[in-house]
Amino acid sequence: MPREQMRKLQSERLKEVVERVYNNCAPYRERMQQAGVSPADIKSIDDIVKLPFTSKKDLRDYYPFGLLSVPQEEIVRIHASSGTTGKPIVAGYTQNDLDIWNEVGARCFTAYGLTNSDVVQVAYGYGLFTGGLGANGASETIGAITVPASSGNTEKQIMLMHDLGVTTLACTPSYALYLAEGLKGAPYKREEFKLKIGVFGAEPWTEAMRREIEESLGIKAYDIYGLTEIIGPGVGHECIYQNGTHLCEDHFFPEIINPETGEPAAKGETGELVFTTLTKTGMPLIRFRTRDLTSLNYETCDCGRTSVRMGRILGRSDDMLIIRGVNVFPSQVEAVICELPELEPHYFIVVDRLNNSDTLEIQVEVKDDFYSDELPKMIDLKKHIAHKLHSVLGIHPDVKLMEPRTIERSQGKAKRVDDRRKLM
Amino acid sequence: MITKQLSVFIENKTGNLIDLTQSLGEAGINMSAFSLAETSDFGILRAITSEPERALEVLKAKRFAASLTDVVCLLAPNKPGALAEILKQFAEKNIYIDYMYAFSDGDAAKIVIKPDKLKECMEVLMQIKN
């Protein structure tokens, strides 16, 4: 769709959604009145900057149903984010919202080259988490055979993949790596599998991790992007060129802002990603701050799609650790670990405070072939890893070499950081 | 003679050595020499065992980071100056010792050496013997 036509569609839809929230959702109406803006002020998509932001905190404050823009009877499904602290964030879906979700999900799956002749194993968890049911809906909408395996039970996953001729695996990237390890010990040969495509999302992953997954599983690995608050997996997808995540911007309008000032970032600049849901009816969100840090690219892709592309997510501003005053993202650590041939692609970060000074411990596993019986060689390896990490992070980590398979493998969203600092 | 030494990377944590030695014990594998090199958070255990290949198998199955290394194993007289005499010969031939460990029992001392040049090391030892 040409850019001007897209902007026209977005403008119309923005006007509609602003009317809807203003008329039906008290907190939104109050916010807009406080900001001195009414639906009449929204004439085109450019006017979006006049509208106040919505934050994760708002969703907690109005938990569970305070931000609905429809009567509760119209809600047909609830999903919730895996909140690590306190109450989860709850999202209500109308039938209209579920239909939109299936449509954008199908759009993603089609972009990966999937059709009704594919067999898709959904190894995301089914439940409140949007991964399982989201990928399930996308797969059924394109008419593929859908295997709702859910997460866990690796041996059974591998058996199903083998016996059912599964062509596509949908799960978190960390679970994909876990399955790859399981496949090494499985009683089947690689050529007995039909697996060719992976649909991975729900946690940020690096280019290095993609290569690791593609090599170990012998597949093409594609990103699927989504957030519970916006809709779930289906907000965006990669295409076969793997050069950025195409956003379904006719439904979810993206902006990049400076996370400190809230001002729009310059074109192509990295900042915080903000979404407005243009078509949802259950719980539409206006200018929702995702905390994800990335950039947008409006150039037409080699695949021919004109939709805006999002760069790699550099991290959630929530994930960012401030250690000895330096900003550290787990994704930076992951990139270094995956680049080093001596290491398994698993790591765990422990941050603590000792004598008023932050400590950063990074636990890694050495690949079997790289263990040495000579202490100096192991110490050199440790120094080498620490040096590589220091050159990327800007602070000196304490690298800890662990025994094989002692770092916890994740079957869902990976927990890779333990921040033990007790800050007042 | 050249022997296959069992080398295992282990983290410094309570109970780790018990698990390892118990695994070998249950498999009926005896250790005749043993040393532990340590840093603050990990160590390397080295042992001469009755059946090195099987010991490796047993530990690998238990997911220990184990491997086999060629080392020189020799018996020296248990008397003052005996070890110095041997080491002097190595030094003359520029043989560098990566690590070694030894223990004595009665008249003899068992010495395990990991030299940088295995072949040359054996040649020196043959000469001493003759």
Side-chain angles (χ1 to χ4, degrees):
Chain A
M1 191 186 276
R3 182 56 41 199
E4 263 322 296
Q5 210 176 322
M6 174 63 80
R7 282 171 48 80
K8 214 174 141 228
L9 180 68
Q10 289 169 333
S11 297
E12 278 165 29
R13 289 181 168 177
L14 179 68
K15 278 188 269 182
E16 286 167 16
V17 73
V18 170
E19 294 252 359
R20 272 204 305 280
V21 298
Y22 190 86
N23 294 332
N24 302 304
C25 181
Y28 267 121
R29 185 164 51 244
E30 284 156 22
R31 284 278 175 87
M32 284 172 63
Q33 283 166 348
Q34 276 165 18
V37 53
S38 79
D41 297 321
I42 308 302
K43 297 189 177 71
S44 90
I45 195 72
D46 294 330
D47 295 322
I48 199 165
V49 295
K50 296 176 183 165
L51 295 164
F53 290 112
T54 311
S55 68
K56 266 186 209 272
K57 187 176 174 295
D58 294 328
L59 277 95
R60 288 206 182 89
D61 290 349
Y62 295 105
Y63 172 90
F65 297 129
L67 286 180
L68 294 185
S69 285
V70 290
Q72 218 165 298
E73 307 90 85
E74 286 186 37
I75 297 297
V76 296
R77 171 99 63 82
I78 292 293
H79 278 288
S81 76
S82 44
T84 44
T85 48
K87 300 269 193 198
I89 281 171
V90 163
Y93 297 64
T94 59
Q95 188 56 50
N96 163 75
D97 298 339
L98 293 181
D99 293 345
I100 291 168
W101 195 8
N102 285 338
E103 187 206 311
V104 291
R107 212 187 276 180
C108 298
F109 275 42
T110 306
Y112 310 137
L114 300 175
T115 67
N116 60 358
S117 50
D118 279 290
V119 183
V120 180
Q121 183 153 327
V122 181
Y124 287 109
Y126 279 64
L128 285 171
F129 171 48
T130 52
L133 285 165
N136 194 97
S139 175
E140 287 183 355
T141 305
I142 63 160
I145 297 180
T146 308
V147 184
S150 197
S151 59
N153 199 346
T154 304
E155 272 174 40
K156 194 168 175 191
Q157 298 272 5
I158 291 169
M159 186 196 74
L160 287 171
M161 244 188 273
H162 176 266
D163 295 358
L164 303 179
V166 167
T167 62
T168 307
L169 172 67
C171 63
T172 58
S174 51
Y175 192 48
L177 278 177
Y178 185 79
L179 280 171
E181 268 187 347
L183 271 171
K184 279 186 206 156
Y188 313 112
K189 291 195 190 98
R190 176 61 181 93
E191 55 267 30
E192 293 172 21
F193 289 86
K194 293 193 176 147
L195 197 64
K196 58 181 173 113
I197 285 171
V199 179
F200 304 127
E203 57 190 22
W205 48 314
T206 57
E207 199 53 43
M209 192 157 168
R210 186 216 299 275
R211 281 200 298 277
E212 183 87 34
I213 292 173
E214 290 193 331
E215 271 166 37
S216 60
L217 282 175
I219 58 170
K220 286 280 263 182
Y222 295 110
D223 184 45
I224 187 161
Y225 179 70
L227 320 80
T228 308
E229 298 89 340
I230 299 304
I231 205 150
V235 175
H237 59 82
E238 282 181 326
C239 63
I240 54 166
Y241 290 94
Q242 298 180 324
N243 189 16
T245 298
H246 291 272
L247 296 176
C248 298
E249 57 173 316
D250 49 336
H251 293 285
F252 316 109
F253 181 78
E255 299 171 77
I256 297 287
I257 60 160
N258 178 325
E260 269 140 47
T261 63
E263 293 297 316
K267 215 169 186 179
E269 206 177 66
T270 296
E272 184 181 338
L273 181 62
V274 172
F275 276 113
T276 298
T277 62
L278 297 175
T279 50
K280 267 171 64 175
T281 51
M283 194 180 82
L285 294 182
I286 305 293
R287 304 193 87 196
F288 174 70
R289 297 185 59 157
T290 64
R291 321 300 290 172
D292 282 345
L293 300 175
T294 186
S295 59
L296 295 177
N297 176 1
Y298 283 89
E299 281 165 36
T300 302
C301 179
D302 288 340
C303 71
R305 285 181 184 80
T306 52
S307 53
V308 61
R309 276 172 292 159
M310 175 180 88
R312 279 267 162 200
I313 292 189
L314 304 173
R316 291 223 153 141
S317 42
D318 299 358
D319 290 347
M320 188 179 83
L321 297 159
I322 302 177
I323 302 169
R324 285 172 236 150
V326 178
N327 297 350
V328 172
F329 286 101
S331 59
Q332 295 175 297
V333 173
E334 180 181 307
V336 175
I337 304 289
C338 288
E339 289 290 340
L340 286 165
E342 296 93 345
L343 297 181
E344 295 283 355
H346 304 282
Y347 63 94
F348 194 77
I349 299 170
V350 181
V351 187
D352 209 342
R353 181 158 285 186
L354 206 68
N355 303 326
N356 289 319
S357 172
D358 294 335
T359 62
L360 169 64
E361 176 181 297
I362 299 174
Q363 302 177 354
V364 296
E365 279 177 26
V366 177
K367 280 193 182 140
D368 254 5
D369 297 346
F370 291 95
Y371 284 107
S372 167
D373 63 311
E374 290 172 40
L375 214 47
K377 283 192 185 153
M378 294 307 284
I379 293 170
D380 282 350
L381 175 61
K382 187 172 140 164
K383 277 190 195 150
H384 174 63
I385 299 164
H387 176 75
K388 284 271 176 194
L389 284 164
H390 174 242
S391 67
V392 170
L393 304 179
I395 55 169
H396 284 283
D398 181 13
V399 172
K400 198 164 177 203
L401 305 181
M402 308 293 283
E403 286 174 23
R405 305 210 32 117
T406 48
I407 294 173
E408 199 189 334
R409 278 15 174 198
S410 143
Q411 307 206 358
K413 283 204 190 201
K415 184 183 183 299
R416 297 204 175 94
V417 180
D418 182 9
D419 193 343
R420 298 176 185 163
R421 292 175 292 187
K422 292 193 180 50
L423 303 180
M424 299 306 282
Chain B
M1 64 173 193
I2 298 175
T3 312
K4 294 228 175 289
Q5 168 195 269
L6 182 69
S7 314
V8 193
F9 172 92
I10 46 175
E11 276 168 52
N12 282 356
K13 60 183 180 202
T14 315
N16 226 354
L17 274 175
I18 302 175
D19 196 18
L20 186 147
T21 48
Q22 232 166 26
S23 302
L24 291 178
E26 281 161 11
I29 294 165
N30 194 38
M31 290 189 282
S32 57
F34 180 100
S35 116
L36 204 52
E38 89 286 350
T39 70
S40 59
D41 50 47
F42 67 87
I44 298 166
L45 175 149
R46 299 155 185 151
I48 304 298
T49 56
S50 52
E51 295 164 82
E53 268 86 14
R54 205 160 65 79
L56 180 69
E57 230 171 81
V58 168
L59 294 187
K60 284 252 176 194
K62 292 236 168 182
R63 296 209 176 276
F64 278 103
S67 59
L68 294 180
T69 318
D70 281 331
V71 293
V72 173
C73 210
L74 64 121
L75 283 174
N78 185 10
K79 62 178 193 198
L83 182 59
E85 193 53 45
I86 296 167
L87 294 179
K88 222 160 79 188
Q89 305 269 354
F90 286 163
E92 277 168 15
K93 293 276 192 287
N94 279 322
I95 295 169
Y96 176 82
I97 294 171
D98 287 331
Y99 57 80
M100 64 184 288
Y101 47 102
F103 61 93
S104 63
D105 180 24
D107 289 342
K110 188 170 189 172
I111 303 168
V112 180
I113 298 175
K114 167 81 189 292
D116 59 340
K117 293 175 237 141
L118 199 65
K119 203 169 137 253
E120 284 87 337
C121 178
M122 283 308 287
E123 280 164 12
V124 169
L125 290 174
M126 293 310 274
Q127 273 172 16
I128 295 175
K129 225 173 171 184
N130 294 335

